[in-house]
């Protein structure tokens, strides 16, 4: 798996990530979602540079212009529910993209023990397409791996781009050992070094799903 950490280069993306992490700014739920959406646009723009292009002839009021536009079919997939704002940001750039949605979450067994459960999936066929899989954070890497494997049952994309604003160093190493570099690229804005025993990223940003959509009534 190839890794592009956009946070290593100074850009406006840093401002969005700073606001996502800030515990005071996080109190504004709409702003939190908006910042996730804006990060999605930035990642989508960068991914657009990797696609295949050809020149098309465009009729203008005064003549014909030659413009290079993408030829690939893009499918944007997101993990419910935290991935939804990023999903929309990516669609803002790839307005003609198809969409897929998948539910992968922590199912608690006893106390703080849990396992990852993948339940719901709706997706188009993926053969020959570009897959962009979005989530807010990658902690252990297990859920994103399970999600990707489930999506690949729907076909074989030409390439898969994982979009995740914040990842743990543990997850990056875990995924690099399991995902082929010629087939998968991870796009992130920050790689945090610490991962707790409960698989929480430190400093991270907290529970992105709760911050975007409100706290859950109970653990699943």
């Amino acid at each position: 798996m190839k890794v592009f950490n956009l946070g290593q280069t100074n850009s406006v993306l840093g401002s969005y990530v700073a606001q996502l992490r800030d515990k005071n700014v996080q109190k504004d739920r709409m702003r939190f979602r908006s910042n996730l959406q804006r990060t999605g646009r930035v990642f989508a723009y960068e991914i657009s540079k990797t696609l295949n292009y050809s020149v098309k002839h465009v009729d203008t009021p005064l003549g014909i212009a030659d413009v290079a536009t993408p030829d690939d079919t893009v499918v944007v997939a997101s993990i419910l529910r935290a991935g939804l704002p990023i999903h929309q940001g990516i669609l803002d750039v790839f307005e003609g993209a198809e969409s897929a949605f998948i539910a992968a979450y922590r199912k608690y067994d006893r106390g703080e023990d849990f396992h990852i459960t993948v339940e719901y999936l709706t997706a188009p066929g993926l053969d020959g397409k570009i897959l962009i899989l979005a989530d807010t954070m990658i902690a252990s890497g297990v859920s994103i791996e399970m999600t990707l494997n489930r999506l690949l049952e729907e076909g074989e994309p030409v390439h898969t781009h994982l979009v995740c604003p914040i990842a743990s160093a543990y997850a990056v190493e875990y995924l690099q050992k399991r995902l082929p570099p010629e087939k998968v690229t991870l796009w992130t804005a920050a790689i945090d070094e610490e991962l707790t025993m409960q698989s929480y990223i430190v400093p991270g940003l907290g529970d992105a799903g709760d911050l975007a959509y409100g706290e859950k009534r109970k653990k699943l």
Side-chain angles (χ1 to χ4, degrees):
M1 180 187 72
K2 294 181 290 187
V3 179
F4 287 99
N5 182 357
L6 300 184
Q8 293 178 326
T9 302
N10 292 333
S11 76
V12 71
L13 180 62
S15 296
Y16 305 155
V17 174
Q19 292 181 43
L20 286 171
R21 289 192 191 265
D22 192 306
K23 64 181 182 181
N24 294 314
V25 179
Q26 288 177 350
K27 296 175 183 178
D28 186 337
R29 198 168 292 155
M30 180 181 291
R31 190 170 177 182
F32 187 83
R33 292 195 302 270
S34 175
N35 281 318
L36 285 177
Q37 187 170 339
R38 293 197 290 180
T39 65
R41 294 187 191 118
V42 173
F43 287 120
Y45 173 74
E46 294 298 326
I47 291 171
S48 75
K49 300 176 184 179
T50 71
L51 302 181
N52 294 304
Y53 286 75
S54 64
V55 174
K56 281 83 171 178
H57 303 302
V58 179
D59 291 324
T60 79
L62 299 177
I64 297 177
D66 293 335
V67 183
T69 61
D71 296 324
D72 299 295
T73 299
V74 174
V75 178
V76 183
S78 59
I79 299 178
L80 302 175
R81 56 186 170 150
L84 290 175
I86 305 174
H87 188 115
Q88 183 57 55
I90 297 171
L91 286 182
D92 289 343
V93 175
F94 296 115
E95 69 269 17
E98 299 174 319
S99 289
F101 301 94
I102 189 164
Y105 59 91
R106 298 178 178 186
K107 188 172 181 65
Y108 285 83
D109 304 313
R110 180 177 299 176
E112 293 297 320
D113 296 331
F114 64 88
H115 63 275
I116 303 297
T117 297
V118 178
E119 288 188 348
Y120 172 83
L121 170 68
T122 178
L126 299 179
D127 285 333
K129 300 176 182 179
I130 300 295
L131 174 63
I132 303 175
L133 175 57
D135 200 7
T136 303
M137 295 186 290
I138 301 180
S140 68
V142 174
S143 61
I144 201 85
E145 180 188 26
M146 291 178 63
T147 299
L148 179 57
N149 288 337
R150 177 62 186 88
L151 281 165
L152 293 179
E153 295 177 14
E154 306 302 315
E156 184 176 354
V158 174
H159 198 84
T160 298
H161 297 275
L162 305 178
V163 170
C164 176
I166 298 178
S168 74
Y170 176 92
V172 172
E173 182 178 355
Y174 175 91
L175 294 173
Q176 283 181 312
K177 292 178 180 178
R178 288 163 173 80
L179 303 180
E182 69 277 6
K183 283 286 188 177
V184 183
T185 301
L186 169 64
W187 299 83
T188 187
I191 298 177
D192 290 354
E193 290 299 324
E194 186 177 346
L195 188 69
T196 70
M197 293 295 292
Q198 292 76 34
S199 292
Y200 291 117
I201 302 175
V202 180
L205 54 76
D207 189 310
D210 287 0
L211 291 167
Y213 297 110
E215 294 184 5
K216 298 176 285 293
R217 184 174 179 182
K218 61 180 179 180
K219 295 179 181 179
L220 295 172

